[in-house]
Amino acid sequence: MITAQWSVWESSVLGPCPDLLEALQVRVVRALYADVAAWLRREADAGRVRPIDPEAAAAVLIGSLTYYRIFGIMLGEPLAGVEEERLLRTWITIGTSV
């Protein structure tokens, strides 16, 4: 169902530019996840954070920020009543102390 909905959105919004979605995924989204995973791997190798699955941790860290914004827009209020500054402080604490 989600795939079908995405295809409808993709064809309606990106119809004139079919390569735009692929470029966005490869150059922006995948690159961001890869960069965060690489940073986590380097930090673990240097002993600054606990060894962890860097790709999965990157997905959790990036996903939490992304969905905070998406749900804030959809609901018109901070997700779970947590203000942005508080979320970011906690996110940094978690991200640097895995």
Side-chain angles (χ1 to χ4, degrees):
M1 178 90 170
I2 292 173
T3 303
Q5 290 172 341
W6 180 259
S7 295
V8 168
W9 178 84
E10 180 182 54
S11 63
S12 65
V13 174
L14 302 174
C17 307
D19 297 329
L20 182 58
L21 179 61
E22 183 177 352
L24 177 66
Q25 287 176 326
V26 171
R27 294 184 188 155
V28 177
V29 177
R30 290 181 194 160
L32 175 61
Y33 281 82
D35 288 348
V36 172
W39 176 78
L40 287 168
R41 191 176 290 106
R42 284 192 309 273
E43 292 299 298
D45 290 347
R48 290 187 284 267
V49 298
R50 291 182 299 146
I52 192 168
D53 179 338
E55 289 78 19
V60 168
L61 291 169
I62 295 167
S64 64
L65 290 180
T66 304
Y67 280 98
Y68 179 83
R69 286 286 185 201
I70 289 171
F71 281 112
I73 291 167
M74 288 172 39
L75 302 174
E77 62 183 42
L79 187 59
V82 176
E83 296 299 327
E84 184 174 328
E85 183 179 329
R86 192 170 141 211
L87 176 101
L88 292 174
R89 245 190 344 262
T90 304
W91 187 89
I92 290 167
T93 300
I94 291 169
T96 58
S97 65
V98 224

